[in-house]
């Protein structure tokens, strides 16, 4: 099983084979090739260890205003030819598309590093050695560890008959650990281009400490509380806000932000922006459709300043099309607290939340969402964590919660199970609606 | 069931696709456009997906695993084909046909797992991938405490084919496009409808499974699904209504029987009606839930907690654990005596009804909850032995050739009772009838849940009344099922399924079906989720 991914030269030749062969008016070739290795452990032993090599070629063709798309994963001439013929046959059967768009033309992409050789070359035994030290730490603290260590390398290429050309090679590595001690649990998660930057030992210590502190949780009633949300929990609120930046639904009126362009939507000390070239994030120079990812504000000092226009909506509104918002940073312009501990010290009574889980829309017209706290929910009294709490369900909207911020840190790495990596502050929020309690 | 946004990962883990493979076509090539280097033979793989050779290729892998004296090993060679037609606002938004072929090789060596997947269909490709799986297993073996032991299973040599009447891949695409556009037109005919969406989906999986124990099973599996929805916009916001064609193992005949054109006006009318519907005051209500809604309730509150791998902590870092821990098996009162939840992977049309699972274990039927008492788990050969069960329940599946098999929810359904829908409603003084699926969220041990729905009607003094909106109910799993005091009869029973059940790291999309008849739950907590309510 070779893990040498497809080179740029080979991609060029595969793409030109497809462009040459197709008789369609317009052709777009998207090529992906990747290798990923995942070591998964639970109860302090390996439960799964997988290594996958996978490629995919997507051929999208248009005949007149009709489009068809075929996907193949075998890099034989026969399979690629079949994909071209299949896409063309589909395009001929498709109805004329009133919203038809030609494939994208040439683009300019920002150049920033996306690849780490250490991640690309990590072998199964290297991963096992890293995890061994994590398991040792768990065992020596009577903690039950479950987690994952992943390293991935990807190649993406795009070519169109309209002279679009894009190629990138990127890596990512992920470590996470849920440690349990008796009835307490603690969680950490990290993601980085470079597997050597995951700090798995330091993070394992944090998870085990949290597990120890989470034991014997008390049950306190549901209600509106002052909360301190760690950056991972803040991600749960930022996600729906980012999804609401779409211009198409904005202009159809099916978006909570509809009609609010140039209005204040959140606290004036907060700025939401994309920063794909930020080395701490996992930004890419271009999106799946070939549009460039660029730095820029979406919400500037609380005011909604920009929407994300897909190509069709951009045409209809004479706006510029941009890639979907990614590589998100949320800046706090006030005097920033130095750390989560500093926020705790300045809190008379409140609840510290490590992470939210299973976050879902409840009311899309005002962005109300729900979810549960998980793996580290603590009571704060007089500037100190005094004990663990049963987990809560919450009902909140970022449009409400981000107007009740009383203190925050500078942006920090925020990696969760449900969102892409972002840079977000830890926040102290008043009147946060913890609507019910669960049994643990 | 979870939906996540990790885009890169999704590509690596969840491509779909597979069908009539062409083998070595001789296509003429001309000069390259992008690169001026000469095209060489090495740019292209030589050997294609030749299914006739699969048993021979499988033998190469099995032979290598036996040579290193593996405790166990298997290979799955798969070719999948997925076709999707998506319509949006009177036009076809996406038309795609994907073929995805490859193989996953799993080896258990010194009680530790290794898995490697590749897609080059040659003896060399298989050899390399098998050797890599063995190398991975050796790395795993350095990190074992107890080690893996598999439950026994007889050797199977079999062939499994999904029964169908109309092969969805033979239905002309223009016919499918016309159906969806016509449906969309009918939705937009109703004043107030601002957005519509519709889709048809079909997947065929051709699979060959072989193990070091001598099992060899050939699969030809089919599934179809579809549906549509409309969003109405009014002065005070927007509301949606949906029609769901269930994901089932059957052919295009279910699309033909569904009558999209006939259903569309009702869906559009109800989306508009919902705009003006009242939001109920928060409080305690009796609920009557329809089969489509119950499919999701059963999935989240019974399906997931009865996965044994979760109960044993395997998913502690991701999907979560379970309140149904092994000490509660046969003891815990999960619900009232009206509640019998049965796992049935032999059920006709069920997505988990695949003849054999990806452990090579024959599909079975067994109780999860028997007249209210917690009675059984979904298991694999690996986890069954951890609680001393002699045989796996055969509910261990992978979502593609590139994924490793994991314990999956079975086709868990609610056994019918003796009531009618009218009878259930007649005994309600102050309640709500809920249809379809809406927002859902549940804690990681599956106690505290919350569900919305797609449509709601008030029930007053035994009669169904006006439409409602923004209904969200919340509960604690065993209390909720303990309050079930009636289930409708077999005539009311319907199957609904999922193909996006998120579990595992890397995350996989699981498939299963949940059949149910309408059921009644007393005194549930309806909370306020309307505009200006919860926040």
């Amino acid at each position: 099983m070779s893990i040498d991914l497809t080179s740029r030269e080979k991609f060029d030749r595969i793409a030109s084979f497809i462009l040459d062969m197709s008789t369609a008016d317009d052709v777009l070739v998207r090529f992906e090739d990747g290798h990923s290795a995942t070591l998964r452990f639970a109860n302090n032993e390996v439960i799964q260890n997988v290594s996958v090599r996978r490629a995919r070629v997507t051929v999208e063709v248009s005949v007149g205003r009709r489009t068809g798309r075929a996907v193949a994963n075998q890099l034989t001439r026969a399979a690629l030819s079949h994909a071209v013929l299949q896409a063309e046959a589909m395009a001929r059967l498709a109805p004329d598309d009133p919203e038809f768009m030609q494939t994208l033309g040439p683009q300019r992409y920002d150049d920033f590093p996306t690849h780490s050789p250490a991640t690309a070359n990590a072998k199964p035994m290297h991963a096992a050695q890293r995890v061994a030290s994590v398991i040792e730490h768990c065992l020596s603290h009577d903690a039950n560890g479950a987690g994952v260590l992943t390293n991935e390398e990807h190649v993406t290429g795009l070519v169109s008959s309209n002279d679009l050309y894009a190629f990138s090679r990127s890596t990512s590595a992920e470590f996470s650990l849920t440690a349990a001690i008796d009835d307490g649990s603690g969680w950490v998660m990290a993601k980085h281009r470079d597997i050597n930057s995951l700090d798995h030992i330091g993070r394992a210590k944090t998870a085990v400490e949290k597990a120890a502190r989470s034991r014997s949780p008390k049950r306190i009633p549901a209600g509106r509380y002052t909360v301190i949300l760690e950056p991972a929990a803040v991600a749960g609120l930022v996600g729906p806000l980012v999804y609401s930046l779409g211009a198409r639904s904005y202009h159809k009126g099916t978006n909570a932000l509809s009609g609010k362009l140039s209005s204040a939507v959140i606290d004036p000390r907060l700025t939401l922006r994309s920063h794909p070239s930020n080395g701490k994030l996992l930004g890419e120079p271009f999106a799946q459709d070939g549009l460039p990812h660029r730095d820029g504000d979406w919400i500037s000092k609380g005011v909604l300043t920009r929407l994300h226009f897909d190509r069709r909506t951009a045409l209809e509104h004479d706006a510029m099309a941009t890639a979907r918002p990614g590589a998100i940073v949320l800046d706090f312009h006030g005097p920033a607290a130095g750390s989560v501990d500093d926020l705790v010290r300045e809190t008379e009574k409140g609840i510290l939340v490590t992470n939210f889980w299973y976050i879902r829309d409840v009311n899309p017209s005002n962005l109300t969402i729900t979810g549960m706290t998980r793996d580290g929910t603590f009571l704060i009294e007089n500037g100190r964590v005094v004990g663990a709490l049963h987990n809560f369900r919450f009902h909140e909207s970022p449009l409400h919660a981000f107007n009740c911020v009383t203190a925050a840190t500078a942006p920090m790495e925020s990696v969760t199970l449900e969102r892409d990596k972002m840079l977000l502050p830890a926040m102290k929020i008043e009147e946060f609606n913890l609507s019910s309690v669960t049994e643990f | 069931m979870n939906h996540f946004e990790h885009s890169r990962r999704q590509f690596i883990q969840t491509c779909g696709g597979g069908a009539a493979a062409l083998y070595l076509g001789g296509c003429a090539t001309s000069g390259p456009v992008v690169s001026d280097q000469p095209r060489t033979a090495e740019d292209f793989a030589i050997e294609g997906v030749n299914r006739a050779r699969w048993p021979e290729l499988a033998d190469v892998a099995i032979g290598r695993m036996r040579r290193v004296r593996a405790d166990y090993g298997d290979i799955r060679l798969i070719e999948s084909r997925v076709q999707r037609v998506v319509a949006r606002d009177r036009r076809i938004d996406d038309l795609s046909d994907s073929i995805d072929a490859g193989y996953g090789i799993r080896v258990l060596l010194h009680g530790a797992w290794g898995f490697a997947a590749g897609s080059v269909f040659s003896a060399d490709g298989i050899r390399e991938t098998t050797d890599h799986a063995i190398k991975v297993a050796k790395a795993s073996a350095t990190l074992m405490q107890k080690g893996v032991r598999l439950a026994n299973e007889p050797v199977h040599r079999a062939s499994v084919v999904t029964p169908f009447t109309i092969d969805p891949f033979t239905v002309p695409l223009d016919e499918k496009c016309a159906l969806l556009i016509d449906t969309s037109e009918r939705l937009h005919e109703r004043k107030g409808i601002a957005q519509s969406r519709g889709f048809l989906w079909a997947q065929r999986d051709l699979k060959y499974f072989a193990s070091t124990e001598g099992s060899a099973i050939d699969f030809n599996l089919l599934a179809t699904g579809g549906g549509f929805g409309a969003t109405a916009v009014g002065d005070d916001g927007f509301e949606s209504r949906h029609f769901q064609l269930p994901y089932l193992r059957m052919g295009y005949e279910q699309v033909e029987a569904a009558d999209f054109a006939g259903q569309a006006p009702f869906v559009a009318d109800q989306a508009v009606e919902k705009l003006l519907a009242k939001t109920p005051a928060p409080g305690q209500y009796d609920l009557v839930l329809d089969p489509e809604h119950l499919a999701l309730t059963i999935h989240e509150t019974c399906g997931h907690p009865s996965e044994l791998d979760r109960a044993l902590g395997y998913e502690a870092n991701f999907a979560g654990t379970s309140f149904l821990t092994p000490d509660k098996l046969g003891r815990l009162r999960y619900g009232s005596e009206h509640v019998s939840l049965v796992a049935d992977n032999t059920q006709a049309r069920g997505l988990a009804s695949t003849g054999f699972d990806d452990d090579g274990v024959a599909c079975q039927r067994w109780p999860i909850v028997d007249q209210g008492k917690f009675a059984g788990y979904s298991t694999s050969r690996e986890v069954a032995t951890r609680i001393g069960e002699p045989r796996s329940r055969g509910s261990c599946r992978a979502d593609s050739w590139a994924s490793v098999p994991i314990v999956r929810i079975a086709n868990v359904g609610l056994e019918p009772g003796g009531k009618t829908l009218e009878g259930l409603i007649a005994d309600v003084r102050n309640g709500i009838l809920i249809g379809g699926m809406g927002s859902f969220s549940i804690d990681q041990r599956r106690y505290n849940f919350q569900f919305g729905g797609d449509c709601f009607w008030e029930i007053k003094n035994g009669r169904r009344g006006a439409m409602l909106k923004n209904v969200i109910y919340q509960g604690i799993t065993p209390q909720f099922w303990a309050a079930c005091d009636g289930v409708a009869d077999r005539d009311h029973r319907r199957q609904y399924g999922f193909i996006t059940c998120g579990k595992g790291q890397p995350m996989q999309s699981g498939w299963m079906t949940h059949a149910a008849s309408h059921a009644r739950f007393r005194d549930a907590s309806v909370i306020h989720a309307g505009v200006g309510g919860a926040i």
Side-chain angles (χ1 to χ4, degrees), chain B residues 331-349:
Chain B
R331 295 194 180 92
L332 179 93
R333 181 145 284 283
Y334 174 92
S336 72
E337 73 274 17
H338 302 279
V339 177
S340 285
L341 290 148
V342 172
D344 187 359
N345 289 349
T346 65
Q347 182 183 91
R349 298 181 299 280

Side-chain angles (χ1 to χ4, degrees), chain A residues 29-91:
Chain A
V29 179
R30 183 182 305 120
F31 180 85
E32 294 148 293
D33 187 11
H35 170 256
S36 83
T38 305
L39 193 166
R40 196 178 191 208
F41 57 101
N43 302 316
N44 294 330
E45 67 177 352
V46 177
I47 54 164
Q48 183 183 306
N49 203 353
V50 306
S51 180
V52 178
R53 170 72 190 275
R54 191 167 207 180
R56 178 165 70 169
V57 183
T58 305
V59 182
E60 194 172 300
V61 305
S62 303
V63 179
R65 299 174 66 85
R66 307 150 169 220
T67 304
R69 190 151 53 86
V71 184
N73 85 320
Q74 293 293 305
L75 302 183
T76 60
R77 285 171 198 240
L80 296 173
S81 306
H82 177 74
V84 172
L85 296 175
Q86 173 87 6
E88 290 179 356
M90 292 169 83

Side-chain angles (χ1 to χ4, degrees), chain A residues 188-378:
Chain A
V188 288
M189 185 169 179
K191 210 165 178 174
H192 210 279
R193 294 224 187 273
D194 180 2
I195 195 166
N196 293 322
S197 299
L198 292 173
D199 186 22
H200 55 285
I201 303 280
R203 291 184 202 272
K205 286 178 181 163
T206 305
V208 170
E209 277 165 27
K210 272 206 167 152
R213 275 202 295 171
S214 295
R215 283 175 293 181
S216 311
K218 277 201 311 188
R219 189 184 171 107
I220 67 168
R224 287 180 186 271
Y225 287 95
T226 298
V227 293
I228 292 171
L229 305 183
E230 292 200 11
V234 172
L237 295 171
V238 172
L241 196 56
V242 171
Y243 274 121
S244 301
L245 296 170
R248 184 182 278 255
S249 59
Y250 181 95
H251 286 294
K252 292 230 179 215
T254 55
N255 179 325
L257 296 178
S258 289
K260 291 180 179 159
L261 197 60
S262 305
S263 308
V265 291
I266 55 175
D267 188 298
R269 292 169 297 170
L270 295 171
T271 291
L272 183 83
R273 62 189 170 99
S274 284
H275 195 195
S277 60
N278 190 310
K280 287 183 179 166
L281 291 171
L282 298 161
E284 294 285 335
F286 57 91
Q288 276 224 329
D289 57 4
L291 284 168
H293 280 295
R294 294 223 193 285
D295 296 354
D297 291 0
W298 302 99
I299 297 174
S300 204
K301 298 192 169 157
V303 174
L304 178 63
T305 50
R306 187 160 64 106
L307 300 171
H308 153 245
F309 284 87
D310 59 78
R311 291 178 65 215
R312 178 71 206 180
T313 312
L315 188 72
E316 285 165 8
H317 293 270
D318 199 21
M320 195 166 82
T322 56
R324 269 175 202 286
I328 293 292
V329 180
L330 185 65
D331 297 303
F332 181 66
H333 302 294
S339 65
V340 173
D341 288 344
D342 287 349
L343 291 174
V344 169
R345 261 191 289 280
E346 290 154 17
T347 302
E348 197 181 318
K349 187 167 185 204
I351 293 170
L352 173 63
V353 178
T354 299
N355 190 19
F356 289 130
W357 159 249
Y358 223 116
I359 299 156
R360 291 293 181 279
D361 293 346
V362 172
N363 191 337
S365 61
N366 63 8
L367 277 192
T368 303
I369 53 173
T370 189
M372 301 294 306
T373 65
R374 182 171 172 177
D375 298 322
T377 305
F378 303 99

Side-chain angles (χ1 to χ4, degrees), chain B residues 282-349:
Chain B
Q284 304 302 111
Y285 293 83
D286 292 345
L287 302 179
V288 177
L289 306 179
D290 88 345
E292 186 180 343
H293 181 88
L294 276 166
L296 184 56
T297 316
I298 292 166
H299 182 90
E300 304 293 356
T301 65
C302 178
H304 279 305
S306 61
E307 292 169 310
L308 181 56
D309 62 334
R310 287 184 65 123
L312 295 175
Y314 279 40
E315 285 284 339
N317 185 239
F318 180 54
T321 59
S322 173
F323 75 95
L324 294 175
T325 43
D327 54 302
K328 300 198 173 76
L329 187 59
R331 295 194 180 92
L332 179 93
R333 181 145 284 283
Y334 174 92
S336 72
E337 73 274 17
H338 302 279
V339 177
S340 285
L341 290 148
V342 172
D344 187 359
N345 289 349
T346 65
Q347 182 183 91
R349 298 181 299 280

